[in-house]
Amino acid sequence: MHPSDLQDVEITLFREALRMRHGYDFSGYAPASFKRRVLALQAAVGAGSLTQLIERLLHEEGFVREVIARLSVPVSEMFRDPRVFGLLRSEVMPVLATWPVINVWQAGCAHGEEVYSLAIVLRECGLYDRAHIFATDFSDEALTRAEEGIYPLHDARTYSDNYLKAGGTGSLSDWFIARYQRIKLDESLRRRVTFANHNLVSDGVFGEMQLIVCRNVLIYFGDELQDRALRLFRDSLVHGGFLCLGSKESLAYTAVDQDFERLAPGSPIYRRVIRAP
Amino acid sequence: MRRRRYEAVVIAASTGGIEALRAVLRAVDPRIAAPVVIVQHTASENAQALCDVLAAGSAIPVVEAESRQPLVNGCAYLAPPGYHLLVEPGPRAALSMDEKVCHVRPSADVLFTSAADVWRGGLIGIVLTGANEDGAAGMAAIRSRRGLAVVQKPEEAEMREMPEATLRRAGADHVLSLQEIGPLLNRLLCR
């Protein structure tokens, strides 16, 4: 058997071990990128084989937390895809301003880079005090990191460039302090943020949202799981609410295509519409 | 009729790659019975412009690969800037924003390795000009599946590092000049 085919066998067993021992179901994930992540996990924890990884997963107390952290959404950047954050600022915020409360759900928040980006946009648009941001991830490790809001200093320059390209009205450095090769985001940005564990694979609808941001998560899902997540988003949004996806994600050919319209051609921002029967 | 052995092509190109890709695509027969999946390293974020440049003079269409898109014969797919492009059973395209591999994203190693899992011995891998080592490990994966390895002659490549790294790591079945690559594909892949 080719070594790579043998790895596929081991990955099937690993997935079953995760499900049966710890209750996490990865069967709906896109297979090729999931395989890469499991192999990266194996390398990162120094397991000699995927079978050793399964052994540790079954018997080593607490190991699952690290496994889930490494299998969850990858790290992002602040204001990644400035064009999209620019559209959120110029097109979406003025509409959000017309609602008395503004509930924002970021699904798959990873280490929180985009949570703080959203908080800054809301602050600079004068909407923050009316807003509540729910930042969710299925990795507790990621949620802890997100809550800290600490990032490497060498990324700050990229973040600042992105912020300005996205129409930032001040300077990003107004929002963090730099110390010991790290930046820490202003704690006041967290005042209206709730970090919570939520798994798009197994958990349900999340309140009455005006804006849902879920970027570069769906690309890792197979068709069925993608449709499940999108139905969840649809059913969590108020009429006229917004859904912001990753730049290379679209609703074309999905189960909810008819329930949304695109904000602008080519943009990954959609608006929930109720169509007449 | 003899069963056709090869069914897909993957290409890696970096510095100097746009001209090299144009030379290859110009010579490809539009009846080619394989999808052609390409990683070109670029700092630009404008994939459409890159597709247009490559499509000009190419006999087959060149499109930016989209998530979950079926990969069909006679069409070239380009990895979107900033995303890894993988192949899944189907065959379909899949995207990933996971960490860079060989300091690059998209990485040819990621594309080649996943494509070798799907097409196995039916895959033709091509490494063109470039100034890094991306594609070498991926080509080794292709050869381990008995796929066909084609490398641009290092001495005629604008940057020779990438072809040389591939030859060191994986070896090749053919070391060719750019003008010879298109005709080879046509011989192997046109009915």
Side-chain angles (χ1 to χ4, degrees), chain A residues 188-253:
Chain A
S188 70
L189 292 171
R190 256 191 351 235
R191 195 163 46 83
R192 311 277 305 162
V193 182
T194 302
F195 292 94
N197 192 301
H198 182 281
N199 191 341
L200 292 170
V201 172
S202 48
D203 293 330
V205 169
F206 214 84
E208 294 231 312
M209 297 292 141
Q210 274 72 31
L211 167 64
I212 295 176
V213 178
C214 181
R215 292 162 51 72
N216 299 312
V217 174
L218 299 181
I219 49 173
Y220 296 103
F221 289 178
D223 291 337
E224 270 179 46
L225 184 52
Q226 177 190 243
D227 280 345
R228 180 192 196 275
L230 286 171
R231 284 198 194 94
L232 208 63
F233 295 154
R234 179 194 64 196
D235 298 340
S236 302
L237 278 172
V238 299
H239 174 52
F242 295 90
L243 173 63
C244 178
L245 302 175
S247 289
K248 299 297 174 192
E249 294 167 329
S250 96
L251 296 182
Y253 313 112

Side-chain angles (χ1 to χ4, degrees), chain B residues 73-90:
Chain B
N73 292 350
C75 185
Y77 300 87
L78 185 71
Y83 289 77
H84 291 304
L85 172 60
L86 301 93
V87 178
E88 289 189 348

